């Protein structure tokens, strides 16, 4: 039986692995849509940047959450995220399923819908749940379509439809993803409504625009003499490379 869901409603899941299929109708002036997933801990944030599954990181290191290739189904396009809920680490409390638009806002995306399937059933079988995702303002460039979350020993699915005008970068940073400076600059140049925030240093490295001072001179104690030691002194112009997810579509 398929559950037709309203915003804010939830449904328990019997399936141990699911496919969340985003479906929309393409056409002239319709932006492309990309599915993504965030694995969240008990604090509602990712445990590390690896917990973000999107077009440039389509598979979680565990292999339990992955993004499948886009498909055309009749007059629709689909983008799919598959998750093995039963095998996920106990530290994962939620899997957020989101959509981001490329080339326009969700005001111009027609018939956006999320269909939740049992991954162990036939691909063309009836979905477990269906939710029509409608933007609230029309200015959204990223939307949380739904979330899979633990409840007791099982899982449930909630229909959400919470939008962000700040695109994929805004969505990612809201859940604790660190965005490197290069990635943020590229997103600001290429994506509408990129967030006006200073990105956190990626993976604990200092920002690349901060020159690291050379260590204070230490007594040579005869090994080596200062003139020779100077040849091995750190280069004060050295820059650590930017790290972290790159928000450029391949």
């Amino acid at each position: 039986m398929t559950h037709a869901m309203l915003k804010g409603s939830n449904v328990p899941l019997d399936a141990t692995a699911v496919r969340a299929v985003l479906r929309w109708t393409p056409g002239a002036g319709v932006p492309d849509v990309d599915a993504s997933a965030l694995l969240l801990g008990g604090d509602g944030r990712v445990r590390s940047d690896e917990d973000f599954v999107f077009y440039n990181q389509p598979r979680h290191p565990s292999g339990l959450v992955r993004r499948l290739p886009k498909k055309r189904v009749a007059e629709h396009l689909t983008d799919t995220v598959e998750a093995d809920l039963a095998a996920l680490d106990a530290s994962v409390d939620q899997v957020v399923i989101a959509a981001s638009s490329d080339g326009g806002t969700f005001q111009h995306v027609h018939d956006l819908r999320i269909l939740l399937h049992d991954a162990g059933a036939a691909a063309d079988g009836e979905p477990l749940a269906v939710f029509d995702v409608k933007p609230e303002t029309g200015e959204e460039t990223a939307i949380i379509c739904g979330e899979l979350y633990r409840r007791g020993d099982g899982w449930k699915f909630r229909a959400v439809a919470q939008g962000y005008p700040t695109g994929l970068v805004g969505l990612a940073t809201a859940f604790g993803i660190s965005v490197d400076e290069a990635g943020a600059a590229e997103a600001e140049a290429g994506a509408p409504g990129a967030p006006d925030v200073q990105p956190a240093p990626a993976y604990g490295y200092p920002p690349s625009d901060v020159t690291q001072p050379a260590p204070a001179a230490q007594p040579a104690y005869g090994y080596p003499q200062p003139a020779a030691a100077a040849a091995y002194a750190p280069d004060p112009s050295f820059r650590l490379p930017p790290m972290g997810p790159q928000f450029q579509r391949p």
Side-chain angles (χ1 to χ4, degrees), residues 229-247:
Y232 300 96
D235 181 357
S237 66
F238 175 76
R239 299 290 192 277
L240 287 166
M243 301 287 286
Q246 299 295 310
F247 294 91

Side-chain angles (χ1 to χ4, degrees), residues 32 34 48 66 68 73 122 145 156 189 208 214 221 236:
D32 195 18
D34 294 293
S48 74
R66 61 194 181 114
L68 304 183
V73 180
C145 300
K156 301 182 79 172
S208 58
Y221 297 105

Side-chain angles (χ1 to χ4, degrees), residues 69-82:
K70 289 184 178 180
K71 292 183 179 180
R72 178 175 286 274
V73 180
E75 70 272 23
H76 303 294
L77 283 177
T78 67
D79 202 8
T80 301
V81 171
E82 193 168 77

Side-chain angles (χ1 to χ4, degrees), residues 70-153:
K70 289 184 178 180
K71 292 183 179 180
R72 178 175 286 274
V73 180
E75 70 272 23
H76 303 294
L77 283 177
T78 67
D79 202 8
T80 301
V81 171
E82 193 168 77
D84 186 345
L85 301 176
L88 282 175
D89 188 270
S91 63
V92 178
D93 275 6
Q94 300 178 58
V95 179
V96 169
I97 307 298
S100 58
S101 59
D102 180 62
T105 67
F106 274 99
Q107 179 181 4
H108 304 291
V109 177
H110 306 301
D111 310 316
L112 181 62
R113 168 178 282 194
I114 182 170
L115 303 98
L116 196 69
H117 290 263
D118 182 345
D124 57 353
E126 289 294 317
L128 303 172
V130 173
F131 174 48
D132 291 324
V133 184
K134 300 183 183 299
E136 291 186 338
T137 68
E139 298 303 313
E140 297 89 344
T141 47
I143 295 180
I144 296 175
C145 300
E147 61 184 18
L148 302 155
Y149 63 99
R150 292 186 190 271
R151 184 62 73 226
D153 294 331

Side-chain angles (χ1 to χ4, degrees), residues 20-75:
V21 181
L22 297 183
R23 192 187 75 183
W24 69 98
T25 303
V30 178
D32 195 18
V33 175
D34 294 293
S36 58
L38 296 111
L39 286 68
L40 309 182
D43 60 354
R45 296 169 68 83
V46 296
R47 300 163 302 167
S48 74
D49 286 356
E50 292 179 332
D51 283 343
F52 190 25
V53 176
F54 69 119
Y55 45 72
N56 276 347
Q57 188 168 268
R59 188 180 184 90
H60 190 264
S62 68
L64 300 175
V65 179
R66 61 194 181 114
R67 186 171 176 263
L68 304 183
K70 289 184 178 180
K71 292 183 179 180
R72 178 175 286 274
V73 180
E75 70 272 23

